[in-house]
Amino acid sequence: ILNVEQSPQSLHVQEGDSTNFTCSFPSSNFYALHWYRWETAKSPEALFVMTLNGDEKKKGRISATLNTKEGYSYLYIKGSQPEDSATYLCAFLQGNTGKLIFGQGTTLQVKP
Amino acid sequence: EADIYQTPRYLVIGTGKKITLECSQTMGHDKMYWYQQDPGMELHLIHYSYGVNSTEKGDLSSESTVSRIRTEHFPLTLESARPSHTSQYLCASSASGQYNQPQHFGDGTRLSIL
């Protein structure tokens, strides 16, 4: 059974703080790792799809790194804003099937 | 801007009823997926399709069924709803191709069976 673990489960920070969370996934048979942001009452939105070891992706104040050999990815948010409050999901692509295995998510709350 | 639509958003219904959750996408994506999420838990894949007339069961066993008669439409049906089916159901789609294709999600249906 493939397992994707995310930590921490939840995080409360002040506006302006930088933060990061972790996604751990199986290190064998790697194809891709996805990050999604899921705001309350909205649909999950794709942030990054990472495919190469050492990959670093950036979107505004959000960036992600990937280590496929040891099976982890970090998501960083620089200078958190209240609008960053959401649940951040990572998902491991199972083989080349298109099937994603999701972690439980990290719920971020940014206080003004 | 949503290109994948789910209806209804919320449904409260009695035990034993037949339910169909609708999902449509306008992106021409071949791949479509249904996920189920219970509160505080992960999204679990219950059905997927790689194209018209193709449907497969996902990793989480489900009593629901799906059909894919048209590329854009992937409805999910529960023949006889039970309280254990109470959950959130999310539909998604993705383009075919290499491994770097993200999935696009609908807003979900929150289903409550009394």
Side-chain angles (χ1 to χ4, degrees):
Chain A
I1 295 174
L2 296 176
N3 227 24
V4 177
E5 302 281 347
Q6 289 189 249
S7 63
Q9 200 167 357
S10 64
L11 200 51
H12 296 253
V13 301
Q14 289 294 135
E15 182 175 354
D17 288 350
S18 292
T19 186
N20 67 86
F21 7 102
T22 307
C23 173
S24 301
F25 53 86
S27 55
S28 60
N29 207 25
F30 179 85
Y31 283 82
L33 186 146
H34 295 219
W35 281 101
Y36 293 86
R37 174 170 58 202
W38 194 358
E39 294 178 65
T40 303
K42 294 188 177 179
S43 54
E45 172 201 357
L47 287 172
F48 307 114
V49 179
M50 310 182 79
T51 56
L52 298 174
N53 185 41
D55 225 357
E56 285 190 36
K57 298 224 177 203
K58 192 173 179 186
K59 189 176 183 177
R61 292 178 292 95
I62 304 176
S63 59
T65 61
L66 179 69
N67 184 323
T68 61
K69 293 187 192 302
E70 294 181 39
Y72 65 83
S73 175
Y74 293 137
L75 189 82
Y76 301 92
I77 302 179
K78 186 177 176 184
S80 303
Q81 299 296 309
E83 58 264 31
D84 296 328
S85 297
T87 296
Y88 291 82
L89 300 170
C90 73
F92 175 79
L93 182 65
Q94 191 176 14
N96 59 353
T97 62
K99 293 161 64 176
L100 291 176
I101 309 292
F102 279 86
Q104 278 191 298
T106 293
T107 299
L108 173 68
Q109 189 133 17
V110 182
K111 295 178 184 175
Chain B
E1 183 180 324
D3 295 313
I4 180 162
Y5 306 93
Q6 286 187 247
T7 56
R9 283 291 304 272
Y10 303 93
L11 180 62
V12 181
I13 202 165
T15 297
K17 302 287 186 186
K18 181 178 178 178
I19 298 166
T20 297
L21 307 185
E22 301 288 349
C23 176
S24 295
Q25 50 97 4
T26 59
M27 296 170 281
H29 287 166
D30 286 328
K31 295 181 178 178
M32 294 190 75
Y33 315 85
W34 275 103
Y35 293 91
Q36 183 176 341
Q37 189 199 30
D38 294 325
M41 302 297 289
E42 305 92 332
L43 286 169
H44 284 289
L45 183 69
I46 52 174
H47 298 282
Y48 62 101
S49 167
Y50 288 159
V52 171
N53 294 325
S54 146
T55 60
E56 302 284 344
K57 288 195 177 289
D59 299 323
L60 182 69
S61 174
S62 174
E63 292 168 348
S64 57
T65 59
V66 291
S67 62
R68 189 91 183 275
I69 298 170
R70 302 196 317 265
T71 297
E72 61 271 21
H73 195 214
F74 191 41
L76 180 145
T77 299
L78 280 161
E79 288 294 331
S80 179
R82 295 209 300 266
S84 59
H85 298 140
T86 295
S87 191
Q88 177 164 227
Y89 294 84
L90 279 155
C91 180
S93 71
S94 67
S96 296
Q98 294 303 309
Y99 312 128
N100 60 349
Q101 300 300 321
Q103 292 190 6
H104 299 258
F105 285 85
D107 287 335
T109 294
R110 284 196 182 275
L111 179 63
S112 184
I113 310 298
L114 304 176

PDB file of all heavy atoms in Angstrom, chain B residues 87-100:
ATOM      1  N   SER B  87     -20.766  11.672   2.463  1.00  0.00           N
ATOM      2  CA  SER B  87     -19.375  12.033   2.230  1.00  0.00           C
ATOM      3  C   SER B  87     -19.336  13.220   1.270  1.00  0.00           C
ATOM      4  O   SER B  87     -20.372  13.695   0.806  1.00  0.00           O
ATOM      5  CB  SER B  87     -18.618  10.851   1.621  1.00  0.00           C
ATOM      6  OG  SER B  87     -17.216  11.082   1.623  1.00  0.00           O
ATOM      7  N   GLN B  88     -18.117  13.675   0.952  1.00  0.00           N
ATOM      8  CA  GLN B  88     -17.947  14.652  -0.114  1.00  0.00           C
ATOM      9  C   GLN B  88     -17.372  13.917  -1.324  1.00  0.00           C
ATOM     10  O   GLN B  88     -16.434  13.126  -1.183  1.00  0.00           O
ATOM     11  CB  GLN B  88     -17.025  15.793   0.298  1.00  0.00           C
ATOM     12  CG  GLN B  88     -16.798  16.779  -0.836  1.00  0.00           C
ATOM     13  CD  GLN B  88     -16.218  18.109  -0.415  1.00  0.00           C
ATOM     14  OE1 GLN B  88     -16.686  19.157  -0.819  1.00  0.00           O
ATOM     15  NE2 GLN B  88     -15.184  18.069   0.393  1.00  0.00           N
ATOM     16  N   TYR B  89     -17.935  14.212  -2.500  1.00  0.00           N
ATOM     17  CA  TYR B  89     -17.500  13.574  -3.744  1.00  0.00           C
ATOM     18  C   TYR B  89     -16.968  14.657  -4.680  1.00  0.00           C
ATOM     19  O   TYR B  89     -17.653  15.629  -4.983  1.00  0.00           O
ATOM     20  CB  TYR B  89     -18.667  12.831  -4.406  1.00  0.00           C
ATOM     21  CG  TYR B  89     -19.145  11.656  -3.574  1.00  0.00           C
ATOM     22  CD1 TYR B  89     -20.063  11.849  -2.543  1.00  0.00           C
ATOM     23  CD2 TYR B  89     -18.665  10.358  -3.794  1.00  0.00           C
ATOM     24  CE1 TYR B  89     -20.488  10.779  -1.756  1.00  0.00           C
ATOM     25  CE2 TYR B  89     -19.087   9.293  -3.019  1.00  0.00           C
ATOM     26  CZ  TYR B  89     -19.989   9.514  -2.006  1.00  0.00           C
ATOM     27  OH  TYR B  89     -20.404   8.458  -1.226  1.00  0.00           O
ATOM     28  N   LEU B  90     -15.732  14.452  -5.133  1.00  0.00           N
ATOM     29  CA  LEU B  90     -15.081  15.424  -6.027  1.00  0.00           C
ATOM     30  C   LEU B  90     -14.795  14.774  -7.364  1.00  0.00           C
ATOM     31  O   LEU B  90     -14.288  13.649  -7.413  1.00  0.00           O
ATOM     32  CB  LEU B  90     -13.750  15.883  -5.432  1.00  0.00           C
ATOM     33  CG  LEU B  90     -13.847  16.964  -4.370  1.00  0.00           C
ATOM     34  CD1 LEU B  90     -12.659  16.907  -3.457  1.00  0.00           C
ATOM     35  CD2 LEU B  90     -13.914  18.332  -5.016  1.00  0.00           C
ATOM     36  N   CYS B  91     -15.075  15.495  -8.425  1.00  0.00           N
ATOM     37  CA  CYS B  91     -14.783  15.043  -9.781  1.00  0.00           C
ATOM     38  C   CYS B  91     -13.578  15.827 -10.295  1.00  0.00           C
ATOM     39  O   CYS B  91     -13.404  17.011  -9.946  1.00  0.00           O
ATOM     40  CB  CYS B  91     -16.006  15.287 -10.653  1.00  0.00           C
ATOM     41  SG  CYS B  91     -15.815  14.791 -12.366  1.00  0.00           S
ATOM     42  N   ALA B  92     -12.751  15.192 -11.111  1.00  0.00           N
ATOM     43  CA  ALA B  92     -11.579  15.870 -11.668  1.00  0.00           C
ATOM     44  C   ALA B  92     -11.331  15.357 -13.078  1.00  0.00           C
ATOM     45  O   ALA B  92     -11.834  14.302 -13.478  1.00  0.00           O
ATOM     46  CB  ALA B  92     -10.347  15.618 -10.789  1.00  0.00           C
ATOM     47  N   SER B  93     -10.552  16.118 -13.832  1.00  0.00           N
ATOM     48  CA  SER B  93     -10.163  15.681 -15.173  1.00  0.00           C
ATOM     49  C   SER B  93      -8.725  16.108 -15.432  1.00  0.00           C
ATOM     50  O   SER B  93      -8.206  17.023 -14.772  1.00  0.00           O
ATOM     51  CB  SER B  93     -11.089  16.269 -16.232  1.00  0.00           C
ATOM     52  OG  SER B  93     -10.869  17.666 -16.374  1.00  0.00           O
ATOM     53  N   SER B  94      -8.082  15.428 -16.379  1.00  0.00           N
ATOM     54  CA  SER B  94      -6.740  15.837 -16.776  1.00  0.00           C
ATOM     55  C   SER B  94      -6.518  15.472 -18.233  1.00  0.00           C
ATOM     56  O   SER B  94      -7.171  14.571 -18.775  1.00  0.00           O
ATOM     57  CB  SER B  94      -5.668  15.187 -15.892  1.00  0.00           C
ATOM     58  OG  SER B  94      -5.628  13.788 -16.088  1.00  0.00           O
ATOM     59  N   ALA B  95      -5.582  16.187 -18.852  1.00  0.00           N
ATOM     60  CA  ALA B  95      -5.249  15.912 -20.233  1.00  0.00           C
ATOM     61  C   ALA B  95      -4.390  14.663 -20.297  1.00  0.00           C
ATOM     62  O   ALA B  95      -3.665  14.330 -19.352  1.00  0.00           O
ATOM     63  CB  ALA B  95      -4.502  17.105 -20.824  1.00  0.00           C
ATOM     64  N   SER B  96      -4.432  13.979 -21.422  1.00  0.00           N
ATOM     65  CA  SER B  96      -3.536  12.841 -21.647  1.00  0.00           C
ATOM     66  C   SER B  96      -2.159  13.372 -21.980  1.00  0.00           C
ATOM     67  O   SER B  96      -1.986  14.555 -22.274  1.00  0.00           O
ATOM     68  CB  SER B  96      -4.052  12.001 -22.807  1.00  0.00           C
ATOM     69  OG  SER B  96      -5.295  11.453 -22.496  1.00  0.00           O
ATOM     70  N   GLY B  97      -1.176  12.513 -21.919  1.00  0.00           N
ATOM     71  CA  GLY B  97       0.156  12.965 -22.281  1.00  0.00           C
ATOM     72  C   GLY B  97       1.170  12.560 -21.251  1.00  0.00           C
ATOM     73  O   GLY B  97       1.047  11.535 -20.601  1.00  0.00           O
ATOM     74  N   GLN B  98       2.169  13.380 -21.045  1.00  0.00           N
ATOM     75  CA  GLN B  98       3.246  13.049 -20.129  1.00  0.00           C
ATOM     76  C   GLN B  98       2.788  13.192 -18.681  1.00  0.00           C
ATOM     77  O   GLN B  98       1.645  13.507 -18.395  1.00  0.00           O
ATOM     78  CB  GLN B  98       4.451  13.962 -20.402  1.00  0.00           C
ATOM     79  CG  GLN B  98       5.076  13.738 -21.757  1.00  0.00           C
ATOM     80  CD  GLN B  98       5.512  12.302 -21.958  1.00  0.00           C
ATOM     81  OE1 GLN B  98       6.212  11.734 -21.134  1.00  0.00           O
ATOM     82  NE2 GLN B  98       5.076  11.680 -23.039  1.00  0.00           N
ATOM     83  N   TYR B  99       3.720  12.969 -17.771  1.00  0.00           N
ATOM     84  CA  TYR B  99       3.355  12.873 -16.369  1.00  0.00           C
ATOM     85  C   TYR B  99       3.143  14.217 -15.703  1.00  0.00           C
ATOM     86  O   TYR B  99       2.868  14.285 -14.519  1.00  0.00           O
ATOM     87  CB  TYR B  99       4.462  12.124 -15.603  1.00  0.00           C
ATOM     88  CG  TYR B  99       4.895  10.852 -16.280  1.00  0.00           C
ATOM     89  CD1 TYR B  99       6.229  10.592 -16.547  1.00  0.00           C
ATOM     90  CD2 TYR B  99       3.952   9.912 -16.685  1.00  0.00           C
ATOM     91  CE1 TYR B  99       6.617   9.431 -17.180  1.00  0.00           C
ATOM     92  CE2 TYR B  99       4.332   8.750 -17.324  1.00  0.00           C
ATOM     93  CZ  TYR B  99       5.661   8.516 -17.571  1.00  0.00           C
ATOM     94  OH  TYR B  99       6.047   7.371 -18.200  1.00  0.00           O
ATOM     95  N   ASN B 100       3.316  15.294 -16.445  1.00  0.00           N
ATOM     96  CA  ASN B 100       3.263  16.611 -15.819  1.00  0.00           C
ATOM     97  C   ASN B 100       1.891  17.281 -15.947  1.00  0.00           C
ATOM     98  O   ASN B 100       1.784  18.489 -15.832  1.00  0.00           O
ATOM     99  CB  ASN B 100       4.326  17.518 -16.428  1.00  0.00           C
ATOM    100  CG  ASN B 100       4.135  17.695 -17.921  1.00  0.00           C
ATOM    101  OD1 ASN B 100       3.333  16.990 -18.533  1.00  0.00           O
ATOM    102  ND2 ASN B 100       4.846  18.633 -18.504  1.00  0.00           N
TER     103      ASN B 100
END
